[in-house]
Amino acid sequence: MTVTAPPVRPYQHYVYAYPHKTAYRRLPERPRLADLWAGESKAALSLYAHIPFCEVRCGFCNLFTRIGAPDGLTGRYLDALERQAIAVREALGDTEPVRFANAAFGGGTPTFLEAAELERLCDIAERHMGADLRAIPLSVEASPATATADRLSVLAARGTTRLSLGVQSFVEEEARAAVRPQRRADVEAALSRIRDTGIPVLNLDLIYGIDGQTAPSWRLSLDAALAWRPEEIYLYPLYVRPLTGLGRHADPATADRDWDEARLRRYREGRDHLLARGYEQVSMRMFRRADAPPQGPDDYACQTDGMIGLGCGARSYTSRLHYSFDYAVAMREIRGIIDDYTATEDFGRAVHGREVDEDEARRRHLLQSLLQARGLPVADYRRRFGADPYDDFPAELERLAARGWLAGAGGEVLRLSDEGLAHSDAIGPDFFSPAVRAAMADYELK
């Protein structure tokens, strides 16, 4: 029977982790971390430290971050991060060697911290968690305004192998439209300082779909980024609802359709431009220069079991439970969560999270592989679950095939076509479980 696939909106949900944090709930039993990590493999853990501070909050941002840090808040935050690190390391125990395979500092903007505070952050990771930052891949996020010479010097000396700079646009009018006021000269100066450090991998983030962006202005940003020969470039679609520039349309449905079509055009232009200039596509968003040095997992462990998250916005993943602290987007709520975190003395228990059963593990495994350009080796799925993904997800995969979004359906590598990759943000949500969908729908925005 032929399946007729109805039209779908291409930009629904960025699946960078599954289940999504809005599906987490307060854990009534507050399980002990020592119990959660008992029996888990600790041979190749990932470490993530979350710094929830920025000098300005961009108009498109829905990350867990606040503007500024008055009255010594960064110092109190690092005090709490240190207490948490000590508690987590104790919970991991010493029955087997604890080894970290990679690390990342994100946010927020980790380089909002002053140079001495960045030194302390590295000390916490090394002395309390036991992560040898100079021996493993270390990724750090930065903004042009905070990528100062003294901060970059600390990061380079402590072993940073990847520096990700959120540029978004080299066109000043577009940056203002995205509520990201910055001068191109300042961005270029920051890039020069970063290249001077010798950090092996530079990643630049660019955004398409900004109000007023055109094909020529998008090409200008792409070429300005390429002039620095970054080892990686991420192309992000703008996710802002409602988008100010669309408000002029009387018909919201027409506005949404026009915006979707505009973003798809910019995506295809950006993809083709990078592929023609020596970059390889890793996922819908990620492009890597063909000669770039390897950095380990492409998603920097966002999807990997054995994830240790430090900080009030960080997630931790065991094979059976994903957990974190409370989540919010509104500034008032975020400030309250940060204040609660800095006042916490006992970090020995998980407080918010979601259990990952066999069904969710299968969905997660498929998502973290299918949404990568290289696809899902079916044999890997069979080895892990004793089943075939075509049998576990027949309806979902049939819909993808009907839309032409699978390349070689039925083969030993389950892989998206070029158009499938372009529609990754529509494909991902289709594999969410009914329970996760319901929890996300019931989440009270705050």
Side-chain angles (χ1 to χ4, degrees):
M1 181 181 69
T2 301
V3 176
T4 301
V8 297
R9 295 201 62 187
Y11 301 103
Q12 297 180 28
H13 205 291
Y14 175 21
V15 184
Y16 62 92
Y18 179 80
H20 190 266
K21 209 172 182 181
T22 54
Y24 292 12
R25 293 294 183 269
R26 180 171 290 277
L27 299 170
E29 297 179 359
R30 290 173 51 90
R32 296 172 62 247
L33 299 189
D35 296 333
L36 292 178
W37 286 98
E40 296 284 325
S41 174
K42 305 176 185 72
L45 297 173
S46 300
L47 178 64
Y48 177 78
H50 176 246
I51 305 300
F53 306 108
C54 289
E55 75 274 13
V56 63
R57 191 171 197 188
C58 305
F60 52 82
C61 179
N62 67 346
L63 298 178
F64 189 100
T65 188
R66 62 160 292 164
I67 301 170
D71 303 323
L73 181 57
T74 55
R76 296 196 300 278
Y77 186 84
L78 289 174
D79 290 343
L81 196 79
E82 185 170 13
R83 292 194 298 272
Q84 185 186 7
I86 292 169
V88 171
R89 182 60 188 85
E90 181 179 348
L92 292 176
D94 294 306
T95 56
E96 64 174 291
V98 175
R99 177 182 175 272
F100 287 91
N102 53 72
F105 301 155
T109 308
T111 49
F112 181 90
L113 299 178
E114 296 179 355
E117 293 173 320
L118 286 171
E119 291 274 18
R120 186 180 177 195
L121 177 61
C122 292
D123 285 344
I124 291 170
E126 292 189 335
R127 296 175 185 174
H128 295 302
M129 292 305 304
D132 187 351
L133 298 181
R134 294 177 179 85
I136 61 176
L138 170 60
S139 177
V140 182
E141 298 173 6
S143 67
T146 61
T148 58
D150 58 341
R151 292 176 171 100
L152 293 172
S153 178
V154 169
L155 295 177
R158 298 303 292 261
T160 301
T161 56
R162 177 181 183 269
L163 198 291
S164 181
L165 194 72
V167 175
Q168 319 315 348
S169 177
F170 283 87
V171 179
E172 294 180 11
E173 293 80 6
E174 291 179 6
R176 286 195 295 272
V179 196
R180 175 64 181 266
Q182 62 188 17
R183 296 172 59 245
R184 178 172 174 178
D186 295 335
V187 174
E188 302 277 1
L191 286 166
S192 180
R193 291 191 296 271
I194 293 168
R195 280 310 199 192
D196 286 345
T197 66
I199 292 173
V201 173
L202 168 64
N203 172 71
L204 299 183
D205 290 345
L206 299 177
I207 287 181
Y208 55 92
I210 299 172
D211 188 35
Q213 189 178 60
T214 63
S217 70
W218 179 226
R219 175 69 67 90
L220 188 155
S221 278
L222 291 166
D223 286 338
L226 289 169
W228 292 95
R229 300 197 74 243
E231 284 72 22
E232 296 175 3
I233 298 181
Y234 272 70
L235 305 183
Y236 287 97
L238 184 64
Y239 267 96
V240 176
R241 296 191 177 102
L243 179 70
T244 302
L246 299 179
R248 60 178 177 269
H249 293 276
D251 182 357
T254 299
D256 287 343
R257 184 174 64 250
D258 290 347
W259 191 29
D260 285 344
E261 292 173 356
R263 283 182 288 178
L264 276 173
R265 284 196 300 272
R266 298 292 90 81
Y267 162 78
R268 293 176 180 129
E269 292 161 1
R271 175 198 64 194
D272 295 347
H273 197 61
L274 295 182
L275 292 179
R277 282 152 183 80
Y279 285 76
E280 299 172 344
Q281 186 165 18
V282 177
S283 67
M284 172 186 159
R285 287 164 170 78
M286 182 181 181
F287 297 80
R288 178 185 291 129
R289 215 176 70 204
D291 61 346
Q295 281 290 289
D298 289 333
D299 61 359
Y300 298 92
C302 280
Q303 292 275 25
T304 308
D305 293 338
M307 178 83 172
I308 300 290
L310 301 178
C312 60
R315 312 162 192 243
S316 296
Y317 303 147
T318 72
S319 60
R320 297 162 305 212
L321 182 77
H322 293 186
Y323 63 93
S324 67
F325 295 92
D326 201 0
Y327 172 73
V329 174
M331 188 61 66
R332 179 178 177 180
E333 298 289 341
I334 289 174
R335 288 173 176 168
I337 294 171
I338 293 173
D339 289 343
D340 289 344
Y341 175 81
T342 59
T344 299
E345 294 293 335
D346 179 7
F347 285 100
R349 295 179 178 271
V351 292
H352 284 78
R354 187 169 189 87
E355 292 184 2
V356 179
D357 61 17
E358 176 78 1
D359 175 65
E360 300 293 15
R362 293 182 187 215
R363 294 174 184 277
R364 184 166 179 261
H365 183 101
L366 184 140
L367 283 169
Q368 68 187 34
S369 302
L370 182 62
L371 298 183
Q372 301 290 310
R374 63 178 177 266
L376 166 66
V378 175
D380 290 352
Y381 188 96
R382 290 195 193 107
R383 275 192 296 271
R384 180 174 178 184
F385 299 110
D388 193 298
Y390 297 104
D391 294 331
D392 284 348
F393 304 101
E396 294 91 341
L397 294 176
E398 190 175 4
R399 281 194 292 271
L400 295 187
R403 294 183 175 117
W405 290 354
L406 284 182
E412 283 303 302
V413 177
L414 187 55
R415 187 167 57 82
L416 297 179
S417 64
D418 288 345
E419 275 305 291
L421 272 180
H423 289 80
S424 292
D425 288 7
I427 291 171
D430 201 32
F431 288 90
F432 291 4
S433 72
V436 165
R437 288 175 182 273
M440 292 173 66
D442 289 343
Y443 177 77
E444 183 179 349
L445 294 175
K446 55 185 178 180

